[in-house]
Structure formats: C-alpha cells, structure tokens
Amino acid sequence: MTETSKQAVPRTRIFADLTPLRASPDYRRLWFGNTVSWIGQGMTALAVSLQVYDLTGSAFSVGLIGFCSFVPLVVFGLYGGAVADSVDRRKLGLVSAFGSFVLSVALVAATVAGVEQVAFLYAVVALQAVCFALNSPARSSMIARLLPPEQLPAANALSSMTSTTGTLVGPMLGGLIVGWWGYRAAYTVDAVTFTASLYAMWRLPAMLPDRSGGSGDGDGSGEGVGGAERKRASVRDGLRFLAARPHLRMTFASDLCAMVLAHPRALFPVVAVVWYGGDAKTTGLLVAAPALGALLGGVFSGWLGGVHRHGLAVVLAVGSWGAAIAVFGLTRQLWLGLVFLALAGCADTISMIFRNTMLQAAVPDDLRGRLQGVFIVVVAGGPRLGDFLAGSVADLTSPAVAVTGGGVACVLAVTLLTLRRRSFLHYDARAPQP
C-alpha cells in the first residue's frame, strides 16, 4: 500500500463525538437535564420494585409493575409522535416532564404520610408511563431542530449513553440509598433531579411543527377536529408502512424476542436474596450490570461503522443476549452473574445501534415520526411486558426456570424468525431496503 493510499484510509472513531454539546447550548442543557433526570428515574424504578416486594413478598406482584406501565405505553405511545407533530413540542415536553415531577413528589408525600398501598404504587407507575410516552417523541423531535443534520448521529449516540448511564447509575444509587436511608430518600432525590429536566425544557425556544412541507398527513392547514383526524390517520399510515416492510418488521420482532422472553429485571430483587443472599445493594448491582455492559458497548462502538450486514449483526446480537441471560440463570456466584449480565447489555447495545441505523436509513423522512410511536411501544413497552412474563413464570415455577428458560426461548424464537425471513441476513447498509 502506498503512502497516499494509507492517507486515504479513514480513521476509525472509537469514542463518542462531543461536537453537539459544544455547538449548541440548548442541546447541552437538554442533554444534561435528561442525563440527571434519567438517573433519578432509575433510582425510583428500583425503589418501587423493592417496596412492592417488601409489601407483598411476591415475584408476581413485582412483575405486575411492568404490566401497569406497559398498557399506558401502548395506548399513549402510538399517538405520542402524532401529538408531537401537532403542537409546540417544547410545551408538550415541559408539561409531560412536569407531570413526571409531580408524580415523584407524590411518592415522597406518600412515604412521609406512611402510605403503604401497592395499588398506589401501581397507579404512579402507570401515570409515569403516560408522561414518558408523551415526552419521549417530543424530546426526540427537538434534537433535529437544535442541531444541523451532520451532528444528529453524534447526538443520538450521546442520547443513548444518557439513558444507559441513568440505567447504570440510577439503580446502583437507588439500591444504596434505599439500603441506607429508606424509600423516602430515594424518591426525594428523584424529585430534586427532575428540576434539571424542567429547567432545560423551560430554556428551549418554541418548537411549533413545520407545516411548510408535506408529511403525508394532508396539507397541514386544518385545525380542531381535522387535526385530530390527521393524528389518527398518521398512526394508521405508520402501521401500514411497517406492515409492508419485512426488514423493518424483523428489527422490531427480534427486539421483542429479547425484551419479552428474556428480560429478568423484575426478578432481580428476588434473585439478590434467594441466589446470592444479598439485599437492596445487591439488587442495585444486578440492575446496573447490564447497563455497564451497554455503556461500554456504546463507548467502544467505533468499529461497528465497518459492518454492512446489519440484519446478520442484529440476529447475532439478539442471540448473544439470550444466551448470556440463559447462562446467568445457571450462576450462583454474584461476580459471575454480573459478568454475564454485562455481556448481555453489550449485546443489546450492538443490536440497538444497528436497529436504529436501519430504521433511520430505510424509512422515508416523512414517515420516521410516525414509526417513532411504534418504536416507543417496542423499546419501552417490551421490557415492561417482559417484567410481567418473568414474574408470572417465576411465581408458577421458579426464578431459575424463568431466567434460563427465557434466555433459551429468546435464542429459539429469533432463530425461527430468521429461518422464516432469510433475506434479513443479507440486508446491506450500502443499499438499504425496508
């Protein structure tokens, strides 16, 4: 290879690109506020699971938390993107974030008043899911208005690291705080951290929908009842588009295999006690381990840019997730269990990177927002349904059967799906076909 050829070879980026944080003060505030609030939400999610288990002693009751959030995510998630395309996204984000803040304050007030009702915790979880389903598409839509197109990939990578950091640090801190100072302290910290997200939303400029171009929902001039009709049509159009695109369907189906069949998060409070003889702090470590693996997978993901067979990569990553979860179910040493959970988290990040890339590259711009609602239902709702399934199976059999059986079921399910849709293995990012 000549010296000129060597210079022509592009350098592989290893670490995350921080240009969006330097270039846009609005995005920087939004990113920081989201990062802090994600940590608080991670603390609350673990604290609620621990409190429900303390009150009931039932794995099924803990798994029911996932079901309580799954239903609102399905109902409101499908319409959240359409609403975000019809109102000021800043106001929608601010109102929904304020709703989450009020719910965190309600948890604090309940612990101060000595309220120990599982039904109240379930209701709070359901309302939090409603706020998330409305906030997420609005917040995602804002990024494209704050940054130039060439910075969006870097911004999406930073956003994924935000959620992963929250999932990693939040449960770890939640387990420590609950173990040392109780539930009231964990809920109070969550309420305080939400002010960072509210401040970031407040400082943003107004973001009314851009009706200058056609979006497939008509001419964009109608209001009132007509606007509501366009939102319903938007959801139907997105679902019809997805139904006719086999490769995109496979990205969602493969993720559901992992998140529904092999998602043992709801069982971590039980596993920490029964398998490892631990407590709330051990539960925090179990929840944090997949997030640590996911974070490392994102931080060192530069080599993924040279992979073009995205379909094959998704199948291998989802299969690796299921295999790692299955082996985790067989471990009885804490350090070894944490290792396999971290490997599962790394595999999940790799799957997410390629699935998101396929969704962005193979979907026309005027349909991406409509599929965002479906994306929220699958990515956010799938784990909740997985919590419910894991808790139910563990209650009927044992946690070991639920975890290991779920991992094996994930591997078998994604294998059967791939055999049915072999063309997915040949999906090439250089010529994306949905």
Side-chain angles (χ1 to χ4, degrees):
M1 182 180 293
T2 64
E3 187 65 26
T4 303
S5 300
K6 291 179 181 179
Q7 294 176 356
V9 176
R11 296 178 59 186
T12 300
R13 179 179 294 275
I14 298 177
F15 298 106
D17 184 2
L18 303 181
T19 301
L21 297 177
R22 294 192 292 263
S24 172
D26 285 329
Y27 175 78
R28 184 167 59 247
R29 283 190 293 267
L30 184 64
W31 182 85
F32 177 77
N34 289 338
T35 300
V36 174
S37 63
W38 265 96
I39 293 174
Q41 291 173 70
M43 293 175 53
T44 292
L46 179 68
V48 169
S49 297
L50 291 170
Q51 190 171 11
V52 169
Y53 187 63
D54 282 347
L55 294 174
T56 65
S58 168
F60 175 79
S61 298
V62 177
L64 196 59
I65 296 174
F67 183 76
C68 290
S69 58
F70 173 74
V71 173
L73 280 171
V74 171
V75 175
F76 289 90
L78 289 175
Y79 287 90
V83 174
D85 287 338
S86 304
V87 301
D88 184 345
R89 290 163 182 160
R90 170 187 172 272
K91 289 183 179 179
L92 178 60
L94 187 61
V95 169
S96 54
F98 182 74
S100 296
F101 168 75
V102 170
L103 292 170
S104 297
V105 173
L107 287 172
V108 176
T111 56
V112 172
V115 176
E116 295 184 342
Q117 297 292 329
V118 175
F120 170 77
L121 296 175
Y122 288 159
V124 170
V125 168
L127 292 174
Q128 285 176 332
V130 172
C131 293
F132 177 84
L134 295 175
N135 184 271
S136 182
R139 188 176 62 245
S140 299
S141 301
M142 291 175 185
I143 296 176
R145 302 282 290 270
L146 297 175
L147 298 170
E150 62 272 13
Q151 293 182 17
L152 292 180
N156 290 328
L158 290 170
S159 297
S160 69
M161 293 176 65
T162 288
S163 60
T164 303
T165 301
T167 306
L168 171 64
V169 179
M172 185 179 298
L173 290 177
L176 294 174
I177 291 175
V178 170
W180 288 338
W181 298 296
Y183 300 111
R184 183 189 309 176
Y187 297 145
T188 300
V189 172
D190 182 27
V192 172
T193 57
F194 246 113
T195 59
S197 181
L198 289 172
Y199 174 76
M201 290 285 184
W202 181 264
R203 290 291 304 273
L204 291 175
M207 293 191 183
L208 293 170
D210 183 4
R211 304 183 187 278
S212 60
S215 64
D217 293 329
D219 60 6
S221 60
E223 301 293 343
V225 176
E229 176 60 32
R230 282 199 311 277
K231 284 183 283 187
R232 289 195 295 270
S234 175
V235 173
R236 290 198 300 267
D237 289 345
L239 294 176
R240 281 197 294 264
F241 178 83
L242 181 61
R245 303 307 189 275
H247 291 158
L248 293 181
R249 290 202 312 272
M250 272 292 294
T251 65
F252 289 114
S254 61
D255 188 51
L256 286 174
C257 289
M259 295 298 100
V260 176
L261 298 176
H263 197 260
R265 179 184 59 187
L267 302 179
F268 287 161
V270 184
V271 166
V273 176
V274 177
W275 292 1
Y276 304 120
D279 52 15
K281 294 184 284 294
T282 307
T283 304
L285 291 175
L286 292 174
V287 177
L292 176 60
L295 181 61
L296 292 176
V299 170
F300 299 102
S301 60
W303 62 275
L304 297 179
V307 177
H308 302 296
R309 299 279 292 279
H310 288 187
L312 176 61
V314 168
V315 170
L316 292 176
V318 172
S320 298
W321 162 279
I325 294 298
V327 177
F328 163 71
L330 301 175
T331 63
R332 294 300 179 269
Q333 293 183 340
L334 179 59
W335 71 268
L336 188 59
L338 295 177
V339 167
F340 280 102
L341 287 177
L343 291 175
C346 182
D348 184 49
T349 288
I350 293 174
S351 168
M352 180 196 65
I353 290 172
F354 288 120
R355 286 185 289 106
N356 285 348
T357 301
M358 293 175 69
L359 190 63
Q360 293 168 350
V363 177
D365 181 72
D366 61 338
L367 283 167
R368 287 174 186 155
R370 304 170 205 193
L371 291 185
Q372 183 63 30
V374 181
F375 181 81
I376 291 173
V377 171
V378 173
V379 173
R384 272 73 174 188
L385 188 58
D387 290 341
F388 176 71
L389 180 62
S392 301
V393 174
D395 202 56
L396 294 173
T397 57
S398 70
V401 172
V403 176
T404 299
V408 173
C410 169
V411 175
L412 292 176
V414 75
T415 300
L416 292 175
L417 285 174
T418 304
L419 291 175
R420 184 179 179 183
R421 183 64 60 183
R422 295 175 185 271
S423 62
F424 186 65
L425 297 176
H426 303 289
Y427 177 94
D428 195 324
R430 292 166 294 190
Q433 294 294 327

